[in-house]
Amino acid sequence: MKPVYLEFCGINSFSEKAEIDFGRLLEGGLFGIFGDTGSGKSTILDCIHFALYGKIERASGSVTDSINYKCDRAYVIYDFEILSEGTRKTFRVQRERRRKNNYYKAYLYEKADGKWQSDAEGPAEVDRRVEEIIGLGFDDFKKCIALPQGEFAGLVKARPSERLQLVSRLFDLEKYGDRLSAAVREKLFAAKNGLDMLQSRLQENAEGTEERIRAEKEGLAAAQAEQAATAKALSAAEEECLSLSRLAEDKKKYDEFARKVSLSEAKLPLFEERRKKLELFSAASKIIEKSAEKRKEGKEKELARLDAEKAENSLSLLKDKITLKKKQLEESGLQERIRALSETKGRLSAAEEDRKACRAAQEKLDECTRRYRELKDKVPEEDFEGLLKENEKALAALGADESFTEYLRRNFKDVLMSETYGEFRADLKGLGEKYPETQEDVARLTKKYSPAPSGSERSFDVAAAKLEFDRAEKARRALASEREGIEKRRRAFEDNRREMQNVVSDGKHYRERLQIAEQKIAMIKDLGTPEEVEKQIAAATKAKERAEEEIRRDEEKTAALTGEAAACRAREKGAGQREKEAEEALCALFAESGIPDETQARSLALEVGDEKRARRECDEFFAGYAAAAAGLKEYPKGKFDGFSEEKVREAEEKKKFLSQKNGALLQEIAVRGKEAERLSGLRARYLEIEREMRGKEKERELLEKLRTLTDRGKFMAFIASEYLQEICVSASRTLLSLTGGRYFLRYDGEFRAGDNLNGGELRSVRTLSGGETFLVSLSLALALSGAICAKSLRPIEFFFLDEGFGTLDEKLVDTVMDVLEKLRSRNFSVGIISHVEELKHRIDNKIVVTGATEGQGSRVRVEAF
């Protein structure tokens, strides 16, 4: 992760907005954060922590405890870049906390095509997404980004047990210590309980012996043999019963067929006569239908002729009526009268608008006159410029507007300094005692920086100075209030004067509008009222529309009568044609059927009645007669000789007895089979439990050995030692790079440094000089940070280093700067947090933090070249 931009306000000592552009700072690969102790350097890291994880480590309680006492809210905006799956992405986190109502808002945006697009909203969702994007939790992030100086220095010189505990804490190896030991003990306890439970189950399944299983199987075999013989006899009895049942069924069918044939032969002559009449019924029905059709079409032809003549006479009379009405409408002159009245109405409507405009203009003019009278004497005129100059002169006489601290520093600087040099005087006294030759100079300097006697020129009365400062402040506030009143009266006077000018201009405009409207009204006073003209137009229009509507209705009737006459003539012609066709068809039917006339046909139809019913009855009779005769022929003569119902009953009794016996044997087989199966199952489970007990016994023995191996954190110590070996290899590569290939590291229970210029000789890191210890500590810090970041699969792109540079001498500071110059690159930046002036002057890109004062909060200044 690489920071891009940070903006924050209201956190710790920062009461005003602060902005940091990391883009320029990181261009050189090395930058510093400098400021006095307590100025707010660490707050920059707090803001990054708050933006990403919603937490501030140094807050005593919640984040609200870190809100500046002058502010009611704290917010932070943080932009950062990260390399994810080969693509560099830019994100923005924005959070805000308020002191009241537990107000808390959080937003996450991603930059796409130059625009910020929402990615998550709400504290919980933003926390989840940030950890997912960065790949580090809050604790791991702190370890990778802000390297804690005490732990890494301790890693170099700590005792082996302390070193293992540190690595365990940094890499969460506790799961290999007490947690692993507890897990092994828990599994051992579970294994012992499992063995006890298996022993109980073994006793429950001891009934299934080989002897009982063999006895049950022998009884089962005997029952199965007897049941097989019974089943064979039962099958034969069932076959005999089935054969006799089928013969009894056939005898019933044969008797039924014989009865039906006898009844049908008695009715046969009657149905044969009915079938002959049905053959002529269709022709008689057609003759009756065609005769009725012929009479109907003759009547239709005559009726259509009469309707056509009636419609033609009505059409002739209506056309004469329409011609007369059109001539009367043309001679009435209604259209010309409507046009003339409409023009008059337009002029009168325009005049009404002029009257309204006249009344409105008069009202506006009266309002302007009244308003001018109100404004004329509303605000009196004064010499505003002169009053303001006198106020400025009095304010200048009081001096600059400043805090009490600045007032004391400006008026009593020398006196204040002498009061605070107690520690300096003590140092001078010690110097004189150590170097007697300087006692004269020491005495002179001690006198110079001693507190002034009470009542002398250099003495200082704080209460009197505060009283004088308060008096000046009160006078300054009074002058400021007086100036505000003068400015307010001047603005009121100027606003009133502008409003009077606007009122005069509006009055002139409304007077002109009133005159124009009055001239227009005078021109149309003899034309009458718009209502009278509107009534005349309505009457003429109604008369014209009434005449036109009558003509339109008559024309519609003409069209309808024309169509009606044509339709009647067509009906007449069609009916005549259909009458002729019916006559021809009727003659053909008489010749074909042999029926002489319609009367004979109607007599035949009446005798038959419902044709479908009569035909269905005939068909059903002849079909039933044929089926019964055919069924009777299917049974050969002598088939039922010797058959009796007694034989059927005897066969059924025998089948019933054998069926009951077979059922009892099957039940016995089932019971013996289930018992044999139960005993076999018990035997199988008994053997299976024995095998499982042997496996559980081996598991218990193995867990006993594991418990011995994992007691007292032995396994965690082994894992931590392996981690230290890996870290040492990585740190050794870094140390070789930083020292030009001279120094390397080894770990064999403690860290040892090797010197390639001295034949690779190893020595304890406790014997290293201050500069060498710093190089080893920095190498281990980078290795540890890299190992932690490796868990998130993200590269280390920058980190803050706070290694206590105040304890380094000038030569070691040079060494530190040389090392840092080697570390920085385009893709890796280092940030130094320090208050050492030497480092501040040697690093070009830096953030300078100025501490809070009585008048304002802490401030930041970015210097990048």
Side-chain angles (χ1 to χ4, degrees):
M1 186 198 72
K2 180 180 291 186
V4 175
Y5 172 78
L6 179 65
E7 177 184 329
F8 58 95
C9 178
I11 298 178
N12 293 337
S13 59
F14 286 86
S15 57
E16 291 88 23
K17 182 177 76 172
E19 296 179 272
I20 300 175
D21 182 2
F22 285 100
R24 293 190 300 152
L25 287 170
L26 299 182
E27 286 181 354
L30 177 64
F31 71 95
I33 302 177
F34 300 103
D36 297 335
T37 300
S39 60
K41 301 187 297 297
S42 298
T43 299
I44 296 174
L45 290 180
D46 291 339
C47 291
I48 294 177
H49 290 162
F50 177 44
L52 294 177
Y53 298 98
K55 300 177 182 178
I56 295 180
E57 173 117 16
R58 298 186 299 155
S60 59
S62 66
V63 175
T64 53
D65 294 336
S66 297
I67 298 178
N68 188 278
Y69 72 95
K70 294 182 180 179
C71 304
D72 62 350
R73 72 179 186 121
Y75 78 88
V76 61
I77 301 173
Y78 180 52
D79 298 350
F80 64 92
E81 294 179 356
I82 193 162
L83 188 64
S84 176
E85 298 178 356
T87 303
R88 183 163 290 279
K89 299 179 179 179
T90 303
F91 294 90
R92 167 172 287 180
V93 188
Q94 184 173 337
R95 294 183 191 259
E96 180 181 353
R97 287 296 296 264
R98 293 187 181 179
R99 200 185 304 277
K100 294 183 178 179
N101 302 328
N102 200 26
Y103 180 88
Y104 187 11
K105 292 290 185 182
Y107 304 93
L108 176 65
Y109 305 93
E110 181 178 358
K111 200 168 191 178
D113 298 328
K115 297 180 179 179
W116 293 109
Q117 298 181 356
S118 178
D119 187 286
E121 182 175 349
E125 183 64 18
V126 170
D127 291 347
R128 185 189 66 78
R129 280 289 294 139
V130 166
E131 188 165 340
E132 181 180 300
I133 291 167
I134 297 178
L136 294 173
F138 181 51
D139 293 335
D140 287 345
F141 181 84
K142 291 185 299 179
K143 297 167 189 174
C144 296
I145 302 304
L147 301 184
Q149 57 171 330
E151 291 196 356
F152 293 114
L155 184 66
V156 175
K157 298 182 178 180
R159 294 193 299 271
S161 60
E162 295 173 347
R163 188 183 300 118
L164 293 176
Q165 290 177 358
L166 174 62
V167 172
S168 174
R169 184 171 65 256
L170 290 175
F171 290 96
D172 299 326
L173 301 183
E174 288 83 357
K175 59 186 176 181
Y176 300 113
D178 294 339
R179 277 190 283 168
L180 178 61
S181 180
V184 171
R185 287 195 300 272
E186 183 178 350
K187 286 185 176 294
L188 177 60
F189 179 75
K192 291 179 177 179
N193 284 342
L195 277 172
D196 294 340
M197 291 177 64
L198 288 173
Q199 184 63 42
S200 299
R201 288 173 57 197
L202 192 68
Q203 295 300 321
E204 293 173 0
N205 292 274
E207 184 182 357
T209 61
E210 294 289 346
E211 292 76 9
R212 289 201 58 183
I213 293 172
R214 188 181 311 110
E216 283 296 330
K217 287 183 176 180
E218 289 173 354
L220 176 63
Q224 286 174 340
E226 185 179 357
Q227 187 272 332
T230 304
K232 185 176 180 182
L234 177 61
S235 178
E238 287 175 344
E239 287 291 334
E240 183 180 1
C241 283
L242 181 60
S243 177
L244 289 172
S245 296
R246 288 173 180 172
L247 189 60
E249 187 65 28
D250 289 346
K251 182 68 169 60
K252 288 180 182 179
K253 292 179 180 178
Y254 175 82
D255 293 342
E256 180 65 20
F257 285 142
R259 186 183 64 80
K260 288 181 178 180
V261 168
S262 177
L263 291 174
S264 295
E265 286 175 348
K267 298 178 181 180
L268 184 59
L270 176 63
F271 278 97
E272 286 179 347
E273 179 65 23
R274 187 178 292 182
R275 185 162 57 183
K276 289 177 181 180
K277 290 180 179 180
L278 279 171
E279 291 175 357
L280 292 173
F281 181 81
S282 178
S285 298
K286 290 180 180 179
I287 289 171
I288 295 169
E289 181 182 348
K290 285 298 177 182
S291 296
E293 183 180 345
K294 176 185 174 184
R295 287 191 296 273
K296 176 185 175 184
E297 295 300 335
K299 291 179 182 179
E300 177 66 21
K301 180 176 71 171
E302 181 62 20
L303 183 60
R305 183 185 67 77
L306 294 174
D307 290 343
E309 290 176 355
K310 181 180 178 181
E312 289 168 354
N313 293 332
S314 299
L315 179 61
S316 178
L317 293 173
L318 189 59
K319 286 181 178 178
D320 294 340
K321 185 179 178 182
I322 291 171
T323 302
L324 178 61
K325 287 183 177 180
K326 287 184 176 179
K327 184 177 179 181
Q328 291 173 348
L329 177 61
E330 185 177 351
E331 292 174 353
S332 66
L334 289 173
Q335 183 64 38
E336 183 62 25
R337 178 171 174 74
I338 291 170
R339 184 188 62 76
L341 288 171
S342 296
E343 290 179 357
T344 302
K345 179 185 175 184
R347 295 178 64 188
L348 290 173
S349 298
E352 183 61 28
E353 293 297 324
D354 292 336
R355 290 189 186 94
K356 292 180 181 178
C358 183
R359 290 193 295 270
Q362 184 64 54
E363 292 173 358
K364 291 290 185 180
L365 183 59
D366 294 342
E367 175 66 20
C368 289
T369 303
R370 182 188 62 77
R371 183 63 179 156
Y372 182 81
R373 290 171 182 168
E374 292 176 354
L375 296 172
K376 186 176 180 182
D377 300 320
K378 183 177 180 180
V379 180
E381 185 175 6
E382 301 179 61
D383 183 13
F384 297 109
E385 294 299 330
L387 293 173
L388 289 173
K389 287 180 180 179
E390 291 178 5
N391 181 274
E392 290 176 358
K393 184 177 179 181
L395 188 63
L398 293 174
D401 185 8
E402 58 190 354
S403 65
F404 182 58
T405 303
E406 292 170 340
Y407 172 79
L408 293 177
R409 188 180 292 114
R410 180 169 59 82
N411 295 286
F412 303 99
K413 181 179 180 181
D414 294 338
V415 176
L416 290 173
M417 292 297 290
S418 65
E419 296 288 340
T420 59
Y421 281 154
E423 184 178 352
F424 182 63
R425 289 193 300 274
D427 292 341
L428 287 174
K429 182 179 179 181
L431 184 65
E433 293 174 353
K434 187 174 182 180
Y435 302 102
E437 63 271 16
T438 64
Q439 286 184 353
E440 183 179 347
D441 294 332
V442 167
R444 179 174 53 80
L445 290 172
T446 302
K447 181 179 180 181
K448 177 180 178 181
Y449 292 107
S450 297
S454 177
S456 67
E457 293 180 354
R458 294 175 60 214
S459 65
F460 174 58
D461 186 350
V462 177
K466 185 66 169 70
L467 185 63
E468 179 64 23
F469 175 78
D470 290 342
R471 183 196 63 75
E473 282 294 302
K474 183 176 181 181
R476 186 177 289 106
R477 285 193 296 271
L479 288 171
S481 177
E482 179 185 354
R483 180 181 182 85
E484 184 179 353
I486 296 169
E487 291 284 358
K488 185 176 181 181
R489 293 198 303 278
R490 181 174 67 175
R491 287 194 300 271
F493 174 77
E494 292 175 351
D495 292 343
N496 189 72
R497 183 170 58 186
R498 283 193 297 272
E499 188 172 358
M500 287 178 63
Q501 293 172 354
N502 292 335
V503 169
V504 171
S505 176
D506 291 344
K508 182 179 179 181
H509 169 71
Y510 290 126
R511 185 175 289 104
E512 292 174 354
R513 289 183 59 183
L514 177 62
Q515 293 173 354
I516 293 170
E518 288 175 343
Q519 291 173 2
K520 288 183 178 181
I521 292 170
M523 295 172 64
I524 49 89
K525 63 181 180 179
D526 298 329
L527 295 178
T529 66
E531 291 78 8
E532 294 172 348
V533 175
E534 180 64 32
K535 289 180 180 178
Q536 295 176 20
I537 293 173
T541 302
K542 187 175 182 180
K544 178 176 176 291
E545 289 176 350
R546 187 166 53 247
E548 290 175 344
E549 178 63 20
E550 290 178 358
I551 294 172
R552 183 186 63 76
R553 286 200 298 267
D554 289 342
E555 288 177 343
E556 290 178 354
K557 291 179 181 179
T558 301
L561 288 171
T562 302
E564 184 180 349
C568 289
R569 291 299 181 189
R571 280 169 51 208
E572 179 186 5
K573 183 178 179 180
Q577 180 65 32
R578 290 191 296 275
E579 182 185 20
K580 183 179 178 182
E581 292 173 354
E583 176 66 26
E584 293 173 354
L586 191 59
C587 292
L589 286 171
F590 285 142
E592 180 181 351
S593 64
I595 299 175
D597 52 30
E598 182 184 355
T599 303
Q600 188 69 28
R602 286 184 178 278
S603 177
L604 177 62
L606 184 62
E607 186 178 351
V608 171
D610 187 350
E611 180 195 13
K612 290 184 179 180
R613 182 181 58 78
R615 194 176 297 278
R616 184 175 66 251
E617 289 176 353
C618 283
D619 291 342
E620 289 176 355
F621 171 79
F622 286 107
Y625 177 61
L632 197 62
K633 289 179 181 180
E634 289 181 0
Y635 297 99
K637 188 177 181 179
K639 179 178 181 179
F640 302 107
D641 294 345
F643 172 77
S644 68
E645 292 293 334
E646 184 64 27
K647 288 185 177 181
V648 175
R649 285 193 296 272
E650 290 176 356
E652 288 179 350
E653 288 292 335
K654 182 179 180 181
K655 184 184 79 168
K656 181 179 179 182
F657 170 75
L658 291 173
S659 177
Q660 292 175 347
K661 182 179 180 182
N662 186 65
L665 289 171
L666 287 174
Q667 186 175 3
E668 182 183 354
I669 290 170
V671 171
R672 288 186 176 276
K674 287 182 179 179
E675 181 63 14
E677 183 179 352
R678 185 183 73 84
L679 293 173
S680 298
L682 290 175
R683 183 62 179 171
R685 286 194 292 274
Y686 185 89
L687 297 175
E688 182 181 352
I689 293 170
E690 278 189 333
R691 289 193 298 272
E692 190 175 352
M693 285 186 66
R694 289 194 292 271
K696 283 290 183 181
E697 184 62 32
K698 290 181 181 179
E699 180 183 353
R700 185 192 62 76
E701 293 174 358
L702 179 61
L703 288 171
E704 286 282 4
K705 294 178 181 179
L706 281 175
R707 183 176 62 82
T708 303
L709 292 174
T710 57
D711 274 353
R712 295 182 297 279
K714 297 177 182 177
F715 188 62
M716 185 188 73
F718 170 73
I719 296 296
S721 177
E722 291 296 308
Y723 266 83
L724 284 172
Q725 291 284 0
E726 294 292 331
I727 291 167
C728 185
V729 171
S730 176
S732 184
R733 288 195 296 266
T734 303
L735 185 60
L736 285 168
S737 173
L738 295 178
T739 60
R742 178 175 181 179
Y743 292 108
F744 62 91
L745 282 175
R746 290 289 183 269
Y747 181 75
D748 55 359
E750 68 172 314
F751 289 109
R752 298 182 183 278
D755 186 353
N756 286 324
L757 297 184
N758 193 21
E761 181 181 353
L762 295 172
R763 57 180 172 141
S764 173
V765 292
R766 299 176 185 275
T767 64
L768 297 176
S769 65
E772 292 169 338
T773 301
F774 172 79
L775 293 176
V776 172
S777 298
L778 180 59
S779 299
L780 285 171
L782 288 171
L784 275 170
S785 185
I788 295 171
C789 280
K791 294 191 298 182
S792 66
L793 303 179
R794 302 291 193 276
I796 303 177
E797 296 187 272
F798 94 106
F799 67 86
F800 291 104
L801 181 63
D802 185 1
E803 280 296 321
F805 296 107
T807 62
L808 304 179
D809 57 26
E810 183 177 355
K811 182 178 180 181
L812 193 51
V813 169
D814 292 335
T815 302
V816 170
M817 290 305 300
D818 291 342
V819 170
L820 295 177
E821 287 291 335
K822 292 179 181 179
L823 282 177
R824 70 179 184 177
S825 69
R826 182 178 182 84
N827 298 320
F828 184 73
S829 302
V830 181
I832 298 174
I833 304 174
S834 179
H835 58 271
V836 177
E837 285 295 321
E838 179 64 22
L839 288 175
K840 179 178 178 182
H841 294 308
R842 295 183 61 171
I843 296 177
D844 293 334
N845 295 345
K846 51 183 167 284
I847 301 171
V848 180
V849 183
T850 304
T853 64
E854 184 178 348
Q856 62 183 2
S858 297
R859 302 182 304 279
V860 297
R861 184 178 74 255
V862 177
E863 298 179 2
F865 302 94

